[in-house]
Amino acid sequence: MKREDDRLARVRKYSKAYACVECGRCVAVCPMAEMYADFSIEMSPRGIIQKALRDGGGILTDENIWYCTECNAGTDVCPQGVSCRDLIRGLRELVLERHPAEQVFYCRDCGNPFLARPVERFVMGRLEQEPPNVRALLERCPACRRLTYARRNA
């Protein structure tokens, strides 16, 4: 438990979560507001940051860490340089170390986790009219997509 607390503290420090001044700029630019009808402060970057600072390890069981798209928009506008993306990635890594999560989509080629299920459902829902080969390409992580592209165009 102490080791997990230490690792959580490192994730907070690395992402600069402690520097958050709760200005709300990250929430204002977050694309999740347009993606999810039930968007709320609990799933917003600001909400996740505050829970990570206050709830300790409880944040690791919060389903809201899986809704983030890791777009980095919040970090781009943060006056303190807090990296919402680094915080989310760090939290997700801690969860995945405990056990493989159902909330993660795994690359069909390399098997690495790369996309949270809520984000995957949103993207695939928007692309349901696309041909199967396009949808299949999206079942690969970005690294495997690049390899596929390079092989096809070599």
Side-chain angles (χ1 to χ4, degrees), residues 13-66:
K13 183 178 179 180
Y14 179 74
S15 66
K16 299 182 186 173
Y18 294 113
C20 178
V21 294
E22 298 188 53
C23 68
R25 289 182 183 181
C26 57
V27 179
V29 298
C30 182
M32 291 191 303
E34 295 176 21
M35 292 172 62
Y36 306 113
D38 58 347
F39 181 76
S40 65
I41 190 67
E42 287 82 22
M43 73 168 48
S44 74
R46 183 174 155 204
I48 296 294
I49 291 166
Q50 293 310 309
K51 280 188 266 184
L53 293 174
R54 283 182 246 187
D55 294 347
I59 187 66
L60 300 177
T61 59
D62 190 321
E63 73 175 33
N64 290 311
I65 68 171
W66 301 104

Side-chain angles (χ1 to χ4, degrees), residues 88-102:
I88 290 292
R89 282 182 181 169
L91 295 172
R92 288 175 178 174
E93 286 173 12
L94 288 174
V95 172
L96 291 172
E97 285 175 6
R98 285 182 177 177
H99 51 78
E102 294 175 8

